[in-house]
Each structure stands twice: as C-alpha cells, then as structure tokens.
Amino acid sequence: MKTFIEPSRSAWATITSRPQLDNLSLVGKVSEVLQAVRETGDQAVRQFTSTFDGVNLSAFTISEKEWEEAENQVSATLKTAIQQAAKNIEIFHQQQLLEITPIETQPGVKCWRKSVGIEKVGLYIPGGSAPLFSTILMLGIPARLAGCKQVILCSPPDKAGRLHPAILFAAKLVGITQVFKIGGVQAIGAMAYGTQTVPKVHKIFGPGNQYVTAAKELVQQTGTAIDMPAGPSEVLVLADDSANPIFVAADLLSQAEHGPDSQALLITTSKSLANAVEKEVLRQLEDLPRKAIASQALQHSKLVVVKSMEEAIELSNSYAAEHLILSVTDPESVAEGIINAGSVFLGHYSPESVGDYASGTNHTLPTNGYATAYSGVSLDSFVRKITFQKLSSQGLAGIADTVITMAEAEGLRAHALAVSRRLASSAKK
Amino acid sequence: MKTFIEPSRSAWATITSRPQLDNLSLVGKVSEVLQAVRETGDQAVRQFTSTFDGVNLSAFTISEKEWEEAENQVSATLKTAIQQAAKNIEIFHQQQLLEITPIETQPGVKCWRKSVGIEKVGLYIPGGSAPLFSTILMLGIPARLAGCKQVILCSPPDKAGRLHPAILFAAKLVGITQVFKIGGVQAIGAMAYGTQTVPKVHKIFGPGNQYVTAAKELVQQTGTAIDMPAGPSEVLVLADDSANPIFVAADLLSQAEHGPDSQALLITTSKSLANAVEKEVLRQLEDLPRKAIASQALQHSKLVVVKSMEEAIELSNSYAAEHLILSVTDPESVAEGIINAGSVFLGHYSPESVGDYASGTNHTLPTNGYATAYSGVSLDSFVRKITFQKLSSQGLAGIADTVITMAEAEGLRAHALAVSRRLASSAKK
C-alpha cells in the first residue's frame, strides 16, 4: 500500500486517480459480436456461447427440472439468508415509490407526476467462480416494485451448461421467470436487439467484465438505456483515532478481494492508525482464500494521513467513492459534509458488506468517480416519472398572456396560436 | 400529411418510425473539435467561435455593461411573463425535493437516502433566430432548487458578439452569473474538459443541433454525464370525436414549426375528425411566419384513424411520444392507460405550448421513443440520491448471520470477516 503523509494539494490528483479504463480498444471486437447477434439472433448467440463459454446449448431457457433442482440444491441456511436480505431490500425500496400529488401551480392549472415502470427491462448477472445472486435481489426487487411488466435475466452457463442454483433460487424469489443461459457481449446484444428467444428490452442493468461494460456503452448509443457507466469497485475509509485498525483493515480487504483492479483507500487524521492498519492488513491478508487477488489490489491501494477532518472530507469529496465508510467518533457530523459518494456507512459497526448484501440499500453504485454525477440504482432507475397537466378553460385564460408573450418572443407564433385559438372558441360559447 | 385508415398491426412499425438520425457520420468532425478544445482550451474555443459563429471575441464572459443593457432591453411585458412562468416552474419542482426519512429495515439497522445537488453543472442554450430563454428557466430553476453549487451557461454569440437580452435576463433571474458566449461543439467541449475561462462540470444539460447532440454523446463516453439522448421534437394528439379540429390543428402546427424534422401525429377514433383536421391544418398554415419550416415537417406527419380507444392507447404507447395531448371526453381514464410518454396534456384546454413555457412542468423531455426508458428533466436530474446506513453493534449482531452466509456462498470470505471480526471485538467488551 502506498502511504501519503500530509500530502500537498498538488498530490491530490495522484491520490484520487483511478486505473485508466481502456474500453475503447475493445470496441471493434465487441461491435462485431453485437452486430452478429443483431443480424442472426439466436444463431449468433449459440455460436458465441460455444466459443466463449465452451458449451453447446440446444436451449438457452431453464427447464422445469432445472428450476426444481435449484430449489433443492440451495441449503436451508442460505435460503433463509437470501429471504431476510430480500425482505430488507424490499422495505427500503418500497419507500421510494412516488406518491401522486397534483399541485395547482396557478388557478385552474393542475400538474402532477406519476411513476410508471419501464415496460421491459433486462438484468445481466455475471457467472464465474462467484455467483452474484445478491445482485439479482438488488435489481429484481426494485424492478418488481416499480411495476416493470417484463423482467428478463441473462447469466452465462458453466461448462456443463447450467446456472448456479442460488442464481435460480434468487430469480424465482423475486418473481423473475424468464431466465436465459447467455453471458457476455452476446447477452447484452440479445437483450438490446431481441432474438427469436430473447425479448428486446428498453433498459439493461447489471455488472460485468470490461467486455460487458463496453457492450452496454455501445448499445446505449443505439437507443437502449443502461443503469450507469461502470468501473472497478472501490471503498474509501475515512477514519479518525477512534477507529479500530482491525475493522478498517477488514473493510479495505473486503474491497481488495473483489478483483485485482479494486480500489481501497484510507484517509485518516491519525498517523498511528495508518501504521496500525497497514500492519493489520498484511496480517489479515493471510486468512483469505482470495489472497492472490487481494494482494494485487493492495499494490495500488493508498493510505493517506491528513491534517484535519475538514481536509479529509474535502479529499473524500474529491475522490467521490462508490462506498464511503465513516469510521469516526461523530459520523453524523462528518456525513453532513459529504457531497460526493455512492453509499455512506456511518460509524464503527457499519461495514460495507452489510450494504452489499442485506441491510436494504442497493449495492449497484457509481464507481470511477461517477458519484459526482450519478446515483446508485434505486426504484427511480426502473421507472419513468411522467408529467401530466390539465387546465380548465379558465385556467388557460389565466395563463394565456404569459404563454403568448413568451412564444412570440421566441419567434414561435404557432405556439401562441394554440392558446389564442382556444380562447377565441371559449369566448364564443 | 400521410393518412392511415384503420391500419393493420403490420403497419405500426411504419407509423411509429422516426427519421433516421445519423449522428455517427458527424463523429469524426465533432471529435476533432472536442480534442482541440481539450488540448488548447480557450485558444481552440476562440478559433472555432471565429470559424463557426463568424465573430472574433476577446472575452467570452459578459461585461457588467452587457448585463445592464439586457435588463433595459427586455420589455416589461416579457419580464412579467418570464417571472410568472418561473414562479410556476419553481412551485412544481420545489415539490420534488426528497425528504429524508430514515427507516429501520430490521432492529438496529437504519437506512436513508439524501438528495445532494450535483456540484457543478453546465447548461447549453442554442442561439440562432429563436432565443430559447424558456429553457434557461426549465434547467436553471431545478438546478438552483437542487442546491448545485456552480451552474454555468454557454450560448453562441451572434455576429456582433452578443447574446439575446432575454437570455441574460432569464439567466440572472434564476441566479446564473457565469455565462459564456460560446456555442456548438466547442461549448460542450469547454464544459466537459474545462478551459482557462470555463470551469469543468460534472453534467451537461440542454438542447442543440445534431453537432451539439453528437458532442454530448461523445463527452458522455469520457465521463461527463448528460441529461438524456436527444432527437427531433414531437407531438402525438390522441383524439376522439369530442375534439375540436381547430385546436388539434393548432397543436400539430405548434410542433411542426419547430423544425423540418419535427414529428406531428394524430391518432383518432374519428374519421371525420381526421378529415377536418387535415383541412384545418392547411388553412392555419397560411397564418404562420415559419410556414416554410412547418410545411416541411408536415410532409412526414401522420393522421391515423383507428377502430377503438384501446387501440389508440396501445399505438400511442408503442410510439412513446415526447408530448402526448389527450383531446378526448374522458382524459383521466385514457391517461390511466398511458405507460410510455414524456409529458401528457389532458383535455381540450391543455395545449402543449402551456407546458412548453409556463404551467410549471419541465419541457426538456425524451424524444425519439426514448420515453420508453427515460424521464424528462426534473429536480432528480440535478441531484444524486446518496444512500446512508448506520448499524448499532446490536444491529450488526442481528444481521450478521445473513451477511456471512451470503458472502461465503458468493465466495467472498473477506466480506464475511468484515462482519465477524467486529462481532468478536464487540463480544470481548
């Protein structure tokens, strides 16, 4: 881990820098796969599944037998855990439903907004060694609460042509029945353009490797919305001398184990804490099955000692972390100063992993500094807030001068006439 | 106007099709301008302003004298109109502020969301014959309500190197003091990358021609957020035999006058209305100063007669109009069925132009079918909803099994340890 002791402002750019993402170099290859899926649909998907996933599938869908087996293969303990997490996520997201509250902005002019679920959405869940069933809860529950009519899910099959049972269990739990064994770029293409088997959707959600990320960015340019731009996961721990180095080290490592490009930062007002955390990280590292991955991530991790909490907050805002842990005496007061972050964890008993899985907040969050402009996934991500308005003829008469004056000043006569012709007719009655 | 009488489903794709946007062909040219601005800042901006706007500017900023003159040049009538519109827009958007309501998802686990304004935002306002000062209200008011700390505005200078006084008046009214006389691609580049004069922003809003649109899409790929993808403006009037052909024609024309590529559609259950509207459109067209533009737009406008209101609603949802006017007897009941639209106008006295200027709703809306996945601009567009959580040590103990079980099942031991190490320490106390 690289240590910065009371760095000058000029070093901030280095401290807050992220690994350079080079999705552009993938564009050619990824475009070819997308184009093939667009042109030949299932045929291309089948071929790429054979090439990239190493399995020849006759069907991408899940058989009744597979659904049943998955149900049996998930342990009772894991089922209970998933159900408890789902319950909390539902409670937290339920509250985000927008109530319709019409407002009369001036007499006879009534305006309101209504949340309407995006009709068709697609969720992408990566495969590989770690089956990210938790992400199914994070995306599937708000999709259901939002009233999305069609929610489909794609995830890459293993070499035996199967999905992990926990993936299927979680999907079923949140009411997703259209699950397809398709991964990578071909999955993004299938959902963006539709195939004989996979329905075309309006918006695609979910994490993925840099090929999947590049594919999402490309389909966004051809009209399919995506949840947000993506980059490697990251945590920033902001700590004072009340922090426990054992906890802080555990938090940094829980980020480092994600992948070699994960970012883990500590900003602290306490030099002794920084020293203790550094030692503790190396000690705890030994206990990890994913030690090799975490070690790589730690090579570009940073420990930063600053002079004051004000400076710590400012540097934290400048970094705009996906996850921000406030391991300080008075976390509420520090939280007041936070303006750039994805999700904030207050105090010594709120590790990031609680939010990753079960507290109720969403774990799909803006990385790579995107927290300066993007929110994490919420119910908002699955709806459109459509505006409505209704004017009475008196209401129109009352607002007419305003509209006509402004339309004429913008040189748009027909806009003015759409009002005045109605008034004329209304007056005639 | 092209007429479709009771078209079969197979004709729907034709009816709902938009003009093909060819922003891709502009990418090369637009990228060059962006790159130059990124590399040499003000120098490039100055050069492109000379080339594209035909004016050599020593400064892009607005002098004290220009601010004063603008104040004097706007008529009292227009000032009153702009102030009234601003008031309604403020009332409607004020209501969109998110209240912080912490929720205990399970004992000792407290979660909440907080809206935090995007720190730095940039607004682009096109120039040309029609000064779109109304868009300044639509973007500047929610930006201020959201608490954005720095709101800057770029708009192209005229040949005399000036901005329209109504632009400056509206900017000042909504509290924008950093206004720059910069237009086109160079303005988008300046706001995305920053120059010696123009501060770099996190998100760019506002309409523009296809060069501006292409530039916004390109800077989005390098990390600057944008309001939404853009296309030509459009209106769909959904009418039954209660509709007044004079009103409907006026509404179609108020869209058609925007530009040659504007879309104006009528879907109606009444064949006689369709006939009457067609005649009325031609009659009213004669009154318009922008007749030439409107005529071009009308060439690809469509009148569609359908068998039932159900079919009308379904076709309307399939089109996903930016503006949808419900000129029907019972607009509330029809509105219930609308799932895809940007903004909906109910009844015979709610023309689109009211929402364009003054009712209070936002006029920056999703075009080109994007209403299937995107909302119009609102206060939401100017904030991030950051999630927060705080667990007590008992709260952590209560959720520990759930988190540990899920983390282990996903193969992420360090995530589990971030919880269990805290419990161990907590138990020791």
Side-chain angles (χ1 to χ4, degrees):
Chain A
M1 304 182 86
K2 189 153 186 217
T3 306
F4 297 80
I5 309 288
E6 299 188 357
S8 67
R9 291 267 160 169
S10 58
W12 280 27
T14 307
I15 293 169
T16 60
S17 71
R18 263 79 169 187
Q20 214 46 44
L21 303 177
D22 186 22
N23 291 345
L24 275 182
S25 68
L26 308 177
V27 161
K29 211 177 222 173
V30 171
S31 292
E32 273 177 36
V33 173
L34 289 176
Q35 193 52 34
V37 171
R38 192 171 197 168
E39 281 167 12
T40 70
D42 284 349
Q43 188 193 318
V45 172
R46 193 162 282 117
Q47 187 197 310
F48 292 124
T49 303
S50 170
T51 309
F52 299 134
D53 299 308
V55 56
N56 292 304
L57 290 180
S58 54
F60 307 119
T61 49
I62 311 294
S63 69
E64 204 52 53
K65 188 157 161 264
E66 285 174 290
W67 283 111
E68 276 168 30
E69 282 173 0
E71 185 81 26
N72 297 329
Q73 282 162 4
V74 177
S75 73
T77 316
L78 183 54
K79 280 182 186 167
T80 306
I82 292 176
Q83 282 157 346
Q84 179 60 40
K87 196 174 148 196
N88 289 347
I89 295 164
E90 176 150 356
I91 290 172
F92 187 66
H93 287 78
Q94 178 82 50
Q95 220 197 6
Q96 297 165 10
L97 284 166
L98 179 74
E99 275 176 48
I100 300 174
T101 45
I103 184 163
E104 208 171 34
T105 53
Q106 66 175 65
V109 179
K110 205 172 69 170
C111 306
W112 65 99
R113 294 202 297 172
K114 179 177 160 187
S115 278
V116 181
I118 296 175
E119 209 180 347
K120 299 171 186 192
V121 298
L123 316 184
Y124 182 75
I125 304 295
S129 54
L132 297 184
F133 54 83
S134 59
T135 304
I136 300 177
L137 307 183
M138 295 292 172
L139 301 176
I141 291 171
R144 175 163 51 74
L145 290 173
C148 298
K149 289 188 182 166
Q150 188 165 33
V151 183
I152 70 171
L153 189 156
C154 284
S155 191
D158 63 18
K159 297 260 185 274
R162 300 177 75 88
L163 297 186
H164 192 283
I167 297 267
L168 294 180
F169 176 79
K172 199 171 184 183
L173 181 70
V174 301
I176 301 173
T177 53
Q178 286 190 287
V179 176
F180 302 100
K181 296 183 235 180
I182 307 175
V185 177
Q186 59 274 23
I188 304 302
M191 295 194 280
Y193 306 123
T195 72
Q196 296 82 346
T197 306
V198 182
K200 174 181 161 65
V201 302
H202 300 308
K203 190 169 183 177
I204 295 174
F205 295 79
N209 61 24
Q210 53 181 163
Y211 292 92
V212 168
T213 299
K216 282 171 68 184
E217 284 176 7
L218 284 168
V219 302
Q220 184 183 28
Q221 289 167 44
T222 53
T224 308
I226 64 170
D227 45 2
M228 68 185 84
S233 190
E234 57 198 27
V235 74
L236 167 55
V237 181
L238 198 162
D240 61 16
D241 53 17
S242 75
N244 184 329
I246 298 175
F247 302 177
V248 174
D251 290 338
L252 295 175
L253 285 168
S254 78
Q255 188 55 245
E257 76 171 342
H258 266 297
D261 53 1
S262 289
Q263 305 281 301
L265 268 77
L266 169 67
I267 299 177
T268 179
T269 49
S270 163
K271 196 174 168 186
S272 62
L273 181 80
N275 288 334
V277 167
E278 185 160 24
K279 288 196 192 89
E280 185 62 27
V281 163
L282 296 175
R283 197 183 67 78
Q284 291 186 19
L285 183 63
E286 297 306 314
D287 301 340
L288 300 183
R290 292 167 74 96
K291 179 182 164 182
I293 291 171
S295 298
Q296 280 182 271
L298 289 174
Q299 280 168 25
H300 49 257
S301 287
K302 291 156 195 160
L303 304 174
V304 188
V305 179
V306 294
K307 281 182 197 149
S308 67
M309 190 47 71
E310 290 66 40
E311 196 179 345
I313 292 170
E314 207 183 326
L315 181 54
S316 168
N317 283 328
S318 166
Y319 182 71
E322 181 191 12
H323 305 98
L324 173 62
I325 303 178
L326 304 178
S327 296
V328 296
T329 313
D330 184 2
E332 281 80 3
S333 135
V334 172
E336 281 298 311
I338 299 304
I339 57 170
N340 294 326
S343 195
V344 185
F345 299 77
L346 282 77
H348 302 306
Y349 292 95
S350 308
E352 184 204 313
S353 46
V354 166
D356 286 342
Y357 288 111
S359 63
T361 61
N362 209 290
H363 79 193
T364 306
L365 295 164
T367 56
N368 201 39
Y370 294 124
T372 52
Y374 293 87
S375 306
V377 162
S378 71
L379 202 75
D380 300 339
S381 316
F382 292 91
V383 300
R384 281 82 30 83
K385 292 176 181 167
I386 304 178
T387 48
F388 292 79
Q389 60 202 285
K390 188 178 186 189
L391 281 75
S392 62
S393 60
Q394 296 84 350
L396 184 63
I399 203 168
D401 281 351
T402 300
V403 176
I404 291 169
T405 303
M406 290 177 76
E408 292 286 0
E410 286 194 352
L412 298 172
R413 171 75 49 81
H415 281 63
L417 287 170
V419 174
S420 55
R421 290 191 195 280
R422 279 171 164 91
L423 289 188
S425 161
S426 183
K428 267 188 258 167
K429 275 190 198 167
Chain B
M1 302 183 87
K2 186 149 191 222
T3 305
F4 298 80
I5 309 289
E6 300 189 355
S8 67
R9 292 265 161 169
S10 58
W12 280 27
T14 307
I15 294 170
T16 60
S17 72
R18 263 80 171 186
Q20 214 48 41
L21 303 177
D22 186 21
N23 291 346
L24 275 183
S25 68
L26 308 176
V27 162
K29 212 177 222 172
V30 171
S31 292
E32 273 175 39
V33 174
L34 289 176
Q35 193 54 32
V37 172
R38 192 171 199 170
E39 281 166 13
T40 70
D42 284 350
Q43 190 194 318
V45 172
R46 192 162 285 119
Q47 187 197 312
F48 293 124
T49 303
S50 171
T51 310
F52 298 133
D53 300 307
V55 55
N56 291 306
L57 289 181
S58 55
F60 307 120
T61 49
I62 310 295
S63 69
E64 205 49 55
K65 188 160 161 262
E66 285 174 289
W67 282 112
E68 277 168 30
E69 283 173 2
E71 185 79 28
N72 297 329
Q73 283 163 5
V74 177
S75 73
T77 316
L78 183 54
K79 279 182 188 168
T80 307
I82 292 176
Q83 282 157 346
Q84 180 61 41
K87 197 175 148 196
N88 289 347
I89 295 164
E90 177 151 352
I91 291 171
F92 187 66
H93 288 77
Q94 179 81 50
Q95 221 197 4
Q96 296 165 11
L97 283 167
L98 178 73
E99 275 176 48
I100 300 173
T101 45
I103 185 163
E104 207 171 35
T105 53
Q106 67 175 63
V109 179
K110 203 172 71 172
C111 305
W112 65 99
R113 292 202 301 172
K114 180 177 159 187
S115 278
V116 181
I118 296 175
E119 209 181 348
K120 299 171 185 190
V121 299
L123 316 184
Y124 183 76
I125 304 295
S129 53
L132 297 183
F133 55 83
S134 60
T135 304
I136 300 176
L137 307 184
M138 295 294 174
L139 301 176
I141 292 171
R144 177 163 49 76
L145 290 172
C148 298
K149 290 188 182 168
Q150 187 165 37
V151 183
I152 69 171
L153 188 155
C154 285
S155 190
D158 63 19
K159 296 261 186 271
R162 300 176 76 87
L163 298 185
H164 193 282
I167 297 266
L168 293 180
F169 176 79
K172 199 170 183 183
L173 182 69
V174 301
I176 301 174
T177 53
Q178 285 190 286
V179 176
F180 303 100
K181 296 183 233 178
I182 307 174
V185 176
Q186 59 273 25
I188 304 302
M191 294 194 281
Y193 307 122
T195 72
Q196 295 83 345
T197 306
V198 182
K200 173 181 163 64
V201 302
H202 300 309
K203 190 169 183 178
I204 296 174
F205 295 79
N209 62 23
Q210 53 182 162
Y211 291 92
V212 169
T213 300
K216 283 171 68 185
E217 284 175 7
L218 283 169
V219 301
Q220 184 182 29
Q221 290 167 46
T222 52
T224 309
I226 63 170
D227 46 0
M228 69 184 83
S233 191
E234 56 198 29
V235 73
L236 167 55
V237 181
L238 198 162
D240 61 17
D241 53 17
S242 75
N244 183 327
I246 298 175
F247 302 176
V248 174
D251 290 337
L252 296 174
L253 284 168
S254 77
Q255 188 56 244
E257 77 170 341
H258 266 298
D261 53 1
S262 288
Q263 306 281 302
L265 269 76
L266 170 66
I267 299 177
T268 180
T269 49
S270 162
K271 196 175 168 184
S272 63
L273 179 80
N275 289 334
V277 167
E278 186 161 24
K279 287 196 193 90
E280 184 63 25
V281 162
L282 296 175
R283 197 182 67 79
Q284 292 186 18
L285 183 61
E286 298 306 315
D287 302 340
L288 300 184
R290 292 167 73 95
K291 179 182 165 184
I293 291 170
S295 298
Q296 280 181 270
L298 289 173
Q299 280 169 26
H300 49 255
S301 286
K302 292 156 194 162
L303 304 174
V304 188
V305 180
V306 294
K307 282 180 195 151
S308 67
M309 191 47 70
E310 289 67 39
E311 196 179 347
I313 293 171
E314 207 182 328
L315 181 53
S316 169
N317 282 329
S318 167
Y319 181 71
E322 181 191 11
H323 305 99
L324 172 62
I325 302 177
L326 304 179
S327 297
V328 297
T329 313
D330 184 2
E332 281 82 2
S333 134
V334 172
E336 281 297 312
I338 299 304
I339 56 169
N340 294 327
S343 196
V344 185
F345 300 78
L346 282 76
H348 302 305
Y349 292 95
S350 309
E352 182 203 313
S353 46
V354 166
D356 287 342
Y357 288 110
S359 63
T361 61
N362 209 290
H363 80 193
T364 306
L365 294 165
T367 56
N368 199 40
Y370 294 125
T372 51
Y374 293 87
S375 306
V377 163
S378 72
L379 203 74
D380 300 339
S381 316
F382 292 90
V383 300
R384 282 81 31 83
K385 292 177 184 167
I386 303 178
T387 48
F388 293 79
Q389 60 202 286
K390 188 178 185 188
L391 282 74
S392 62
S393 60
Q394 294 82 354
L396 183 64
I399 205 171
D401 281 353
T402 300
V403 176
I404 292 169
T405 302
M406 290 177 76
E408 292 285 359
E410 286 194 354
L412 297 173
R413 171 74 51 80
H415 281 64
L417 286 170
V419 174
S420 55
R421 289 190 197 278
R422 280 172 163 89
L423 288 189
S425 161
S426 184
K428 266 188 260 167
K429 277 189 195 164

